[in-house]
C-alpha cells in the first residue's frame, strides 16, 4: 500500500429487516439515520431495547439479525491517476455487499480476515460507497450439533449468540488502499537462519483486451529491508526479476544473520521486513510484515520449539467479550487476554471454531504465546459443498494474512467435526497443507477424529471427567491419589496428543459481576440466579457460595494439570477454561471471569504453582496419614524451562495450620535437562510427632527459584472402638418423644430412603446441568462453618477439601428449605435450582437436640479413618453443645415426611 484514505467516522445508515433495500435500489441514495464506524448496530442502539432473557447465554440489549445498509462519500486527491484502489474492511460480520458510485463491486463473507475488493482506478474527486452487511447470511458454519438438542442452535464461536454474538457492523479499520500495482502476498519461512520467501505480484490494467503494462523494456526490482530486533543496521537485499505477466511469483532463499535472535516463548523476538517493488525506479507497492526465526515441529510424540521439547499449558479463547459482543481489533484488548493467560502460567491459546484478528497475533508474537487457530466452523463435513469450499477458502485467507506470525503454530479445520464425509475431507485438508506450508503443524478437528496424517491430535479421553461420565469420573469415583496418569492414551497413538477441553469444573457465579455488564450485553442469566436465590432466602450466601465452590474448582484444575504434567510424553493441555464461558447454558468454569479479571478465590501466583514451566509433583496413593503409619510418595519435577536446571535440590516442609514447620528435608538432584519429567526420589513422612486429627501442608520448593507446589496432608487417629453416637435412621413419633424428653439424637437416613434431589459428588458440576441435561454431580462442594465447635476436633477449611470425599461419597444431601436448622456443613447447589441443602445441621427439639447428618458415620469405620474422626468430633461436641435454634416437633416431623422416599 502506497496511499490510503481513511473511512472511519460517520456513515449514513438504514436497517433493512424486510429485505427490500436491494430491490428498491437503496444503494443510489443516502439514508436518513447515521452510525459511527468502526462499531456495531448493537453499540449504536439502532433497535428497540430487548427485555428477553435466557439461562442459555448473555442477553443483547439491542439485538439485530438481518440486512443493514451503510453509506458515505470519500475524496480521492489529485495526482493519483496511475493508482489502483482497494476497499479494505477489517472484521465486518456477515455477507458484505459493496456498491461503488452506484454499481455493485462484489460481495464477500470471510469470518477470519479483512475484506478487500478491487475498485480499480478512481478519478480525483468525490465517490460514493455503500455497504450492505447481512448477518443473517452465513455458510452453515455452526450446524454440527444443532440436531442434538433444542438449546444447541448455531454453535460456532465465530458467530454464535453463545459467545461473541451475531453482531452487524465493521469493527476494525475501514479504508481505501492505493498502489500502482500490488505485492499481493509475502510468505516468510524462517524456521532457521536459512530463510525462504515466496512473494506474489499482481499487475492491474484497465484494458481487458490489449493490456499496456508489459510494453517496452522495464527493470523490475524488489528491495527487501530486514530490521532485526536489537540490531541497529538493517539488512538490505535487492532482487531483480522479470515481470511479463499479470501474476508473477518470486522465490528467494536468504541467509539471515546468526546474530539475530530466535523467537521463543521465553524470548519472543519479533523481526520486521519491508518490501518495495520498484519498476524503472518508481515504487509500485510497499508491503510490511513481521516474522520470527523459529521452528515449531513434531518429534515423535513430542512438540518442539527450536529443537526444545515444549509442553502446552493452554486454554480456550472463545470470543467472549461482554462489553462489545465482538473481539477487539486493537492491541490493548489482546494485551488483557494474553497478559492474564501468562500471569496464570499459560503459554498456549486455542481458538475454538474461530480465528482472531491481526492484533491478536501481533500481541501474541510479542508476549510469546503459542496459538492454535481454527477455521470458523463447528461443522458437518461432506454434506454441503458450499461449506466445504468455504472452509478451504478461509484456511487460505488465514494463512495468507497471518501466516508470518511466529505465534501461529497450529491450524485445524474446527471444533468436534461431524458428518459422513469427515475423514476424507480432513485427510485431504492435511495432505494439502502439510505439503504446502511447513511453518506450523496441522490436525483435522479439535477433539476428534484421530487421523493418520495428523501432526498432532487433541482428544477428550485423557482427562479426569469426560462427557456424561457422571459419578464414574475419576475424582468422583475414588479418593484423591496422584498415581494416575494418561500414559495408556498417549501410547495408543504415534503422534503428539494434547488433551481436549480438560476441566469444565463449575463455580457458583459471582453475582457481584453484574455491575460490570455496562456494554451491549447484560447478564440476565445472573439476574435470574440472583432473583431465585433471594426468593429462597439464601441471597446473603451469594459470596460464600462462590468462594467455597471456587476453592474446590481450583483444587480440581490443579489435579487436571498435574495429571497431565506427570504423564510421560504428553504434549500438553487445553483447559476449558481459564475464563468463564457465558453461553451454552451458562458455563461458569473459569478462575477468571468473562472480562478476564481475577476472581477472589485464587491468585495468579497460586495458580502458577501447578501451572508453570517447572512444577514439583508427587506420586502418592493417598493423602490421609493414619496415626502410627507413614506417608510415602515419589517426587518428580516437570522441567520445561528453556535451559537445563542446574544441580540443586527440592526443599520440602511439612507445615501445620499455625504456620510452623514440623518436619523438613531436601532431595538433591544433578543437572536436569529440559523437556522431561524427572524422577527425583522418594519422600517418607512418619506420623510420629504429628497431631491427629490435623491438617498439614506439604510444600516443595526448587531451591534458588520461585518454583514451588503444595498439597494438603491429613493425619487421622488410628482405629479404635467408635465413639458412642445415638444414631437413628428415621424420625418417627418415638424419636420425637425421646427428643422432647431431652435426649440427643443423630438422624442419619440412608440415601435410598430419601427422595431424589441434587446428586452429590465430590467434584463440582461438569460444564453445567442445563446444557448436559442434568449430568451428575449437581452440586458445587461444601460450605463448612468452621466457627462451629465441632471443628475444634475435626480439621477443615471453610470449603471442600480432598479428605471430605469419604464423607460425601454416594450420599444424598438433606433439603431443609424453610425448616430453620442451623447449618454446620452446607452443600452448594447448582445455581439453576438453589436448593437449601445440608450435609450436617442441628436444632433443639423440646428439651433435646437433633443432629441431622447426610454423612454415613457408622458403616465400615475400620477402613474409613476420616469418618471415624468425624464421628469422634461429633460425639465430643455433643458432650457440650452450643445453643441451637428451637424447632417445633410437628414441623420437623412434617419436613422428614416430605423428604422421605
Amino acid at each position: 500500500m502506497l496511499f490510503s484514505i481513511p473511512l472511519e467516522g460517520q456513515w449514513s445508515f438504514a436497517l433493512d429487516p424486510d429485505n427490500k433495500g436491494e430491490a428498491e435500489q437503496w444503494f443510489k441514495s443516502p439514508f436518513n439515520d447515521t452510525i459511527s464506524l468502526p462499531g456495531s448496530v448493537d453499540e449504536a442502539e439502532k433497535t428497540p431495547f430487548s427485555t428477553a432473557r435466557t439461562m442459555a447465554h448473555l442477553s443483547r440489549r439491542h439485538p439485530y439479525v438481518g440486512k443493514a445498509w451503510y453509506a458515505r462519500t470519500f475524496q480521492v486527491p489529485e495526482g493519483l491517476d496511475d493508482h489502483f484502489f482497494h476497499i479494505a474492511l477489517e472484521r465486518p460480520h456477515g455477507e458484505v455487499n459493496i456498491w461503488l458510485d452506484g454499481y455493485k463491486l462484489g460481495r464477500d463473507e470471510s469470518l477470519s480476515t479483512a475484506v478487500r475488493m478491487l475498485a480499480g482506478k478512481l478519478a480525483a474527486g468525490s465517490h460514493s460507497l455503500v455497504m450492505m452487511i447481512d448477518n443473517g447470511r452465513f455458510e452453515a458454519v455452526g450446524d454440527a450439533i444443532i440436531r442434538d438438542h433444542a438449546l444447541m442452535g448455531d454453535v460456532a464461536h465465530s458467530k454464535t449468540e453463545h459467545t461473541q454474538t451475531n453482531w452487524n457492523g465493521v469493527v476494525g479499520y475501514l479504508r481505501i488502499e492505493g498502489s500502482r500495482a500490488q505485492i499481493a502476498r509475502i510468505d516468510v519461512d524462517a524456521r532457521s537462519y536459512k530463510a525462504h520467501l515466496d512473494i506474489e505480484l499482481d499487475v492491474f490494467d484497465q484494458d481487458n483486451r490489449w493490456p499496456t503494462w508489459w510494453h517496452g523494456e522495464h527493470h523490475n526490482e524488489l528491495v527487501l529491508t530486514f530490521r532485526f530486533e536489537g540490531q541497529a543496521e538493517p539488512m538490505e537485499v535487492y532482487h531483480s526479476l522479470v515481470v511479463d505477466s499479470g501474476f508473477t511469483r518470486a522465490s528467494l532463499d536468504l541467509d539471515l544473520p546468526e546474530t539475530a535472535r530466535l523467537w521463543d516463548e521465553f524470548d519472543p523476538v519479533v523481526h520486521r521486513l519491508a518490501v518495495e517493488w520498484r519498476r524503472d525506479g518508481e515504487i509500485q507497492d510497499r508491503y510490511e510484515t513481521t516474522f520470527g526465526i523459529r521452528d515449531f515441529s513434531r518429534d515423535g510424540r513430542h512438540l518442539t520449539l527450536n529443537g526444545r521439547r515444549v509442553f502446552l499449558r493452554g486454554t480456550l479463547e472463545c470470543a467472549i467479550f461482554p462489553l462489545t459482543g465482538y473481539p477487539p481489533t486493537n492491541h490493548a484488548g489482546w494485551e488483557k487476554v494474553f497478559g492474564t493467560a501468562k500471569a496464570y502460567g499459560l503459554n498456549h491459546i486455542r481458538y475454538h471454531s474461530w480465528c482472531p484478528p491481526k492484533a491478536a497475533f501481533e500481541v501474541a508474537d510479542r508476549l510469546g504465546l503459542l496459538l492454535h487457530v481454527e477455521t470458523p466452523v463447528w461443522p458437518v463435513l461432506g454434506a454441503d459443498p458450499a461449506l466445504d469450499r468455504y472452509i478451504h477458502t478461509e484456511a487460505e485467507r488465514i494463512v495468507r494474512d497471518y501466516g508470518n506470525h511466529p505465534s501461529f503454530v497450529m491450524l485445524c479445520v474446527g471444533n468436534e467435526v461431524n458428518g459422513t464425509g469427515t475423514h476424507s475431507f480432513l485427510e485431504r485438508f492435511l495432505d494439502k497443507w502439510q505439503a504446502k506450508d511447513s511453518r506450523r503443524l496441522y490436525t483435522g478437528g479439535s477433539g476428534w477424529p484421530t487421523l493418520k496424517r495428523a501432526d498432532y491430535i487433541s482428544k477428550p479421553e485423557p482427562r479426569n471427567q469426560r462427557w456424561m461420565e457422571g459419578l464414574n469420573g475419576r475424582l468422583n469415583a475414588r479418593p484423591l491419589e496422584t498415581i494416575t496418569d494418561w500414559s495408556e492414551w498417549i501410547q495408543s497413538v504415534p503422534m503428539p496428543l494434547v488433551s481436549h477441553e480438560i476441566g469444565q469444573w463449575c463455580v457458583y457465579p459471582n453475582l457481584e459481576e453484574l455491575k460490570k455488564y455496562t456494554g451491549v450485553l447484560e447478564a440476565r442469566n445472573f439476574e435470574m440466579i440472583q432473583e431465585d436465590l433471594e426468593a429462597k432466602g439464601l441471597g446473603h450466601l451469594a459470596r460464600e457460595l462462590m468462594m467455597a465452590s471456587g476453592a474446590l474448582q481450583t483444587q480440581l484444575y490443579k489435579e487436571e494439570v498435574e495429571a497431565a504434567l506427570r504423564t510421560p510424553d504428553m504434549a500438553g493441555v487445553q483447559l476449558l477454561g481459564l475464563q468463564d464461558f457465558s453461553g451454552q447454558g451458562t458455563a461458569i468454569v473459569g478462575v477468571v471471569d468473562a472480562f478476564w479479571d481475577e476472581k477472589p478465590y485464587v491468585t495468579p501466583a497460586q495458580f502458577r504453582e501447578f501451572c508453570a514451566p517447572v512444577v514439583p509433583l508427587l506420586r502418592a496413593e493417598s493423602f490421609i496419614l493414619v496415626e502410627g503409619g507413614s506417608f510415602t510418595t515419589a517426587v518428580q519435577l516437570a522441567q520445561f524451562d528453556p535451559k537445563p536446571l542446574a544441580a540443586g535440590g527440592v526443599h520440602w516442609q511439612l507445615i501445620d495450620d499455625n504456620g510452623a514447620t514440623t518436619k523438613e528435608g531436601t532431595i538433591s538432584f544433578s543437572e536436569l535437562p529440559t523437556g522431561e519429567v524427572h524422577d527425583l526420589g522418594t519422600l517418607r513422612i512418619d506420623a510420629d510427632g504429628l497431631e491427629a486429627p490435623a491438617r498439614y501442608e506439604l510444600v516443595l520448593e526448587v531451591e534458588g527459584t520461585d518454583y514451588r507446589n503444595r498439597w494438603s496432608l491429613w493425619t487421622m487417629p488410628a482405629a479404635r472402638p467408635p465413639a458412642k453416637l445415638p444414631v437413628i435412621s428415621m424420625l418417627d413419633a418415638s424419636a420425637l418423644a425421646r427428643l422432647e424428653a431431652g435426649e440427643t439424637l443423630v438422624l442419619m437416613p440412608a440415601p435410598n430412603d430419601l427422595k431424589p434431589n441434587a446428586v452429590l459428588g465430590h467434584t463440582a458440576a461438569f460444564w453445567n446441568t442445563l446444557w448436559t441435561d442434568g449430568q451428575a454431580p449437581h452440586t458445587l462442594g461444601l460450605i463448612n462453618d468452621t466457627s462451629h465447635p465441632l471443628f475444634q476436633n475435626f480439621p477443615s477449611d471453610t470449603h471442600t477439601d480432598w479428605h471430605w470425599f469419604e464423607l460425601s461419597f454416594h450420599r444424598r444431601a438433606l433439603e431443609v428449605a424453610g425448616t430453620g436448622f442451623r447449618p454446620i456443613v452446607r452443600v452448594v447447589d447448582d445455581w439453576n435450582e438453589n436448593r437449601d441443602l445440608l450435609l450436617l445441621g442441628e436444632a433443639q427439639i423440646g428439651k433435646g437436640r437433633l443432629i441431622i447428618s447426610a454423612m454415613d458415620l457408622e458403616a465400615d469405620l475400620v477402613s474409613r479413618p476420616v469418618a471415624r474422626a468425624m464421628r469422634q468430633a461429633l460425639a465430643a461436641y455433643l458432650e457440650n453443645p452450643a445453643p441451637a435454634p428451637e424447632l417445633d416437633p410437628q414441623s420437623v416431623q412434617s419436613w422428614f415426611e416430605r423428604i422421605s422416599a
Side-chain angles (χ1 to χ4, degrees):
M1 180 173 63
L2 299 179
F3 178 83
S4 69
I5 303 168
L7 299 176
E8 291 86 1
Q10 289 293 109
W11 290 61
S12 66
F13 174 76
L15 294 177
D16 186 10
D18 299 323
N19 190 25
K20 59 184 180 181
E22 194 160 6
E24 295 180 358
Q25 299 187 338
W26 286 12
F27 50 83
K28 289 188 175 180
S29 58
F31 310 116
N32 294 327
D33 199 0
T34 61
I35 193 170
S36 181
L37 296 179
S40 72
V41 172
D42 290 61
E43 287 178 302
E45 300 182 359
K46 294 299 182 181
T47 59
F49 184 81
S50 171
T51 59
R53 62 183 192 172
T54 175
M55 279 301 298
H57 49 70
L58 300 175
S59 300
R60 293 166 68 181
R61 287 187 167 96
H62 298 274
Y64 179 73
V65 176
K67 296 181 177 179
W69 292 74
Y70 308 79
R72 64 163 292 161
T73 60
F74 63 91
Q75 297 289 321
V76 174
E78 299 284 349
L80 298 176
D81 295 346
D82 60 347
H83 279 52
F84 294 83
F85 295 90
H86 283 83
I87 297 167
L89 310 170
E90 185 187 24
R91 289 286 153 151
H93 195 68
E95 183 184 83
V96 183
N97 297 261
I98 294 181
W99 286 262
L100 178 65
D101 294 334
Y103 68 90
K104 189 164 186 178
L105 199 59
R107 68 178 183 88
D108 199 358
E109 55 176 339
S110 178
L111 283 163
S112 306
T113 66
V115 166
R116 292 182 80 245
M117 292 190 190
L118 180 61
K121 287 191 174 184
L122 296 176
S126 180
H127 296 268
S128 69
L129 176 64
V130 177
M131 303 184 298
M132 185 270 285
I133 300 177
D134 185 359
N135 67 329
R137 165 66 183 90
F138 298 91
E139 302 298 343
V141 296
D143 287 358
I145 58 174
I146 196 169
R147 297 165 293 185
D148 297 345
H149 195 291
L151 287 174
M152 290 182 176
D154 198 350
V155 289
H157 297 347
S158 54
K159 63 177 286 287
T160 180
E161 297 290 357
H162 290 275
T163 59
Q164 67 173 300
T165 76
N166 184 15
W167 50 276
N168 193 309
V170 182
V171 298
Y173 61 75
L174 304 91
R175 63 190 181 219
I176 307 294
E177 299 177 348
S179 59
R180 295 182 176 90
Q182 179 176 237
I183 302 175
R185 177 174 184 156
I186 298 179
D187 290 339
V188 182
D189 184 347
R191 285 173 287 154
S192 71
Y193 292 107
K194 299 286 187 182
H196 179 80
L197 276 69
D198 282 319
I199 303 174
E200 296 181 359
L201 307 177
D202 291 341
V203 174
F204 307 121
D205 199 294
Q206 294 285 84
D207 193 322
N208 293 329
R209 298 190 178 189
W210 301 100
T212 60
W213 53 264
W214 51 268
H215 286 270
E217 295 293 328
H218 300 283
H219 175 64
N220 287 278
E221 182 180 51
L222 298 178
V223 180
L224 292 77
T225 303
F226 292 87
R227 298 189 181 276
F228 298 102
E229 181 65 27
Q231 298 189 13
E233 295 299 319
M235 181 180 90
E236 291 191 342
V237 176
Y238 297 84
H239 179 74
S240 296
L241 71 166
V242 175
V243 178
D244 59 1
S245 171
F247 168 65
T248 301
R249 178 181 287 116
S251 294
L252 293 80
D253 291 304
L254 300 172
D255 290 327
L256 303 180
E258 297 198 6
T259 53
R261 286 150 58 199
L262 302 180
W263 187 93
D264 187 89
E265 63 169 299
F266 298 100
D267 188 24
V269 179
V270 180
H271 308 299
R272 307 191 68 83
L273 169 63
V275 179
E276 288 185 351
W277 172 11
R278 298 176 183 174
R279 186 185 196 225
D280 300 332
E282 185 175 46
I283 298 176
Q284 303 300 298
D285 197 11
R286 181 182 295 108
Y287 190 113
E288 294 186 2
T289 187
T290 56
F291 69 98
I293 305 171
R294 69 105 178 100
D295 176 53
F296 191 79
S297 298
R298 166 193 172 186
D299 180 10
R301 292 188 175 95
H302 299 164
L303 300 172
T304 64
L305 180 58
N306 302 327
R308 173 181 60 82
R309 182 187 168 195
V310 295
F311 185 93
L312 300 180
R313 304 180 305 278
T315 190
L316 272 62
E317 207 297 301
C318 297
I320 297 168
F321 298 96
L323 295 181
T324 59
Y326 57 75
T329 55
N330 60 11
H331 284 185
W334 291 106
E335 286 165 354
K336 173 71 171 179
V337 173
F338 296 145
T340 301
K342 285 184 70 71
Y344 284 79
L346 302 184
N347 64 354
H348 170 57
I349 303 290
R350 173 196 159 206
Y351 284 90
H352 178 306
S353 61
W354 78 292
C355 175
K358 181 180 180 182
F361 292 94
E362 293 172 338
V363 175
D365 289 349
R366 179 159 43 84
L367 295 184
L369 272 297
L370 303 167
L371 303 187
H372 161 126
V373 174
E374 299 178 6
T375 70
V377 298
W378 187 342
V380 173
L381 295 174
D384 181 349
L387 174 63
D388 291 352
R389 287 193 298 270
Y390 179 76
I391 291 169
H392 283 293
T393 300
E394 287 290 272
E396 290 279 359
R397 294 174 69 145
I398 288 168
V399 173
R400 178 199 67 197
D401 283 13
Y402 311 130
N404 293 336
H405 290 281
S407 58
F408 182 10
V409 297
M410 305 163 93
L411 176 67
C412 83
V413 166
N415 182 68
E416 297 174 0
V417 294
N418 286 278
T420 305
T422 290
H423 289 86
S424 59
F425 181 95
L426 295 178
E427 294 279 7
R428 288 172 181 268
F429 182 90
L430 292 176
D431 195 50
K432 168 186 173 180
W433 281 105
Q434 288 167 335
K436 183 174 182 177
D437 193 335
S438 299
R439 291 177 293 175
R440 67 196 58 82
L441 299 181
Y442 302 92
T443 195
S446 287
W448 56 75
T450 302
L451 299 174
K452 183 177 180 179
R453 285 180 173 83
D455 292 323
Y456 69 99
I457 57 172
S458 73
K459 304 296 289 181
E461 287 82 9
R463 66 188 191 198
N464 288 308
Q465 187 81 15
R466 303 177 186 97
W467 190 261
M468 301 312 293
E469 201 167 20
L471 296 185
N472 293 319
R474 173 195 163 210
L475 301 179
N476 282 305
R478 58 184 188 270
L480 176 67
E481 42 74 24
T482 54
I483 302 298
T484 295
D485 66 26
W486 311 123
S487 295
E488 175 187 356
W489 300 104
I490 301 305
Q491 298 303 317
S492 68
V493 293
M495 68 281 287
L497 191 156
V498 180
S499 60
H500 175 70
E501 299 182 0
I502 69 168
Q504 305 188 40
W505 299 118
C506 288
V507 60
Y508 200 89
N510 182 4
L511 300 180
E512 295 174 7
E513 283 175 30
L514 274 165
K515 59 181 178 291
K516 297 170 71 170
Y517 288 85
T518 59
V520 302
L521 291 167
E522 287 187 344
R524 295 174 189 162
N525 45 358
F526 279 28
E527 290 174 358
M528 294 163 71
I529 296 165
Q530 185 176 57
E531 290 166 8
D532 185 56
L533 199 64
E534 294 283 356
K536 292 173 177 173
L538 302 174
H540 63 288
L541 293 174
R543 183 172 176 83
E544 285 185 77
L545 295 169
M546 180 265 296
M547 293 295 290
S549 59
L552 172 60
Q553 179 201 50
T554 303
Q555 293 171 1
L556 297 171
Y557 276 117
K558 173 174 159 66
E559 178 53 22
E560 290 284 2
V561 175
E562 290 181 8
L565 282 172
R566 61 180 180 255
T567 303
D569 297 326
M570 192 159 185
V573 298
Q574 293 170 340
L575 297 174
L576 184 54
L578 192 71
Q579 181 201 26
D580 280 342
F581 189 101
S582 49
Q584 292 188 13
T586 306
I588 310 303
V589 296
V591 298
V592 301
D593 65 21
F595 303 85
W596 288 91
D597 290 333
E598 176 183 333
K599 292 186 181 179
Y601 52 80
V602 59
T603 67
Q606 291 169 327
F607 200 89
R608 281 200 311 274
E609 289 189 347
F610 57 84
C611 185
V614 176
V615 179
L617 300 168
L618 297 183
R619 291 275 196 156
E621 294 182 351
S622 173
F623 288 85
I624 307 297
L625 173 55
V626 178
E627 207 171 22
S630 62
F631 170 77
T632 303
T633 179
V635 178
Q636 296 181 312
L637 197 68
Q639 209 294 70
F640 294 97
D641 239 11
K643 297 178 181 178
L645 197 61
V650 171
H651 182 69
W652 64 267
Q653 293 176 286
L654 191 67
I655 301 171
D656 67 20
D657 269 351
N658 296 317
T661 299
T662 60
K663 296 176 185 282
E664 62 182 320
T666 300
I667 299 175
S668 299
F669 56 78
S670 56
E671 183 180 88
L672 300 178
T674 188
E676 295 182 37
V677 181
H678 297 278
D679 295 315
L680 302 186
T682 300
L683 169 62
R684 175 188 169 106
I685 299 174
D686 292 325
D688 297 347
L690 301 179
E691 294 183 13
R695 174 192 173 273
Y696 293 86
E697 190 168 67
L698 178 58
V699 181
L700 273 62
E701 182 172 352
V702 182
E703 293 178 331
T705 75
D706 294 330
Y707 296 125
R708 64 179 57 82
N709 203 356
R710 68 192 70 225
W711 295 260
S712 292
L713 183 64
W714 292 272
T715 56
M716 295 293 162
R720 54 178 59 96
K724 291 184 178 180
L725 211 58
V727 174
I728 58 174
S729 60
M730 60 184 300
L731 195 62
D732 54 16
S734 173
L736 285 172
R738 293 169 63 187
L739 286 166
E740 291 190 80
E743 287 193 51
T744 294
L745 299 177
V746 179
L747 175 62
M748 199 180 297
N752 290 341
D753 292 338
L754 299 173
K755 289 178 181 176
N757 48 45
V759 177
L760 182 66
H762 176 80
T763 71
F766 173 85
W767 197 233
N768 66 83
T769 58
L770 185 63
W771 194 257
T772 62
D773 288 331
Q775 178 181 183
H778 302 153
T779 57
L780 305 169
L782 308 175
I783 299 177
N784 307 312
D785 180 5
T786 54
S787 67
H788 191 279
L790 168 77
F791 289 103
Q792 293 175 6
N793 296 299
F794 184 84
S796 182
D797 209 324
T798 55
H799 54 77
T800 302
D801 219 326
W802 293 108
H803 67 312
W804 278 94
F805 179 93
E806 209 174 279
L807 301 172
S808 60
F809 180 66
H810 284 184
R811 304 304 293 174
R812 180 165 289 160
L814 302 170
E815 191 165 358
V816 296
T819 61
F821 283 103
R822 176 185 176 179
I824 302 174
V825 179
R826 285 188 181 273
V827 177
V828 182
D829 193 20
D830 167 31
W831 58 78
N832 290 291
E833 298 292 342
N834 290 316
R835 289 162 288 211
D836 193 353
L837 303 176
L838 297 187
L839 202 66
L840 189 66
E842 65 179 337
Q844 187 169 332
I845 310 293
K847 296 179 181 179
R849 177 176 299 264
L850 177 64
I851 299 290
I852 58 171
S853 173
M855 302 179 291
D856 178 1
L857 302 180
E858 288 202 299
D860 195 21
L861 294 180
V862 172
S863 62
R864 297 172 63 222
V866 180
R868 289 199 309 265
M870 174 58 82
R871 181 183 177 109
Q872 182 65 44
L874 184 56
Y877 164 66
L878 291 178
E879 291 178 3
N880 185 26
E886 295 184 21
L887 301 185
D888 174 67
Q890 297 308 313
S891 66
V892 173
Q893 186 175 33
S894 297
W895 160 76
F896 187 70
E897 291 172 354
R898 189 167 66 248
I899 69 169
S900 296

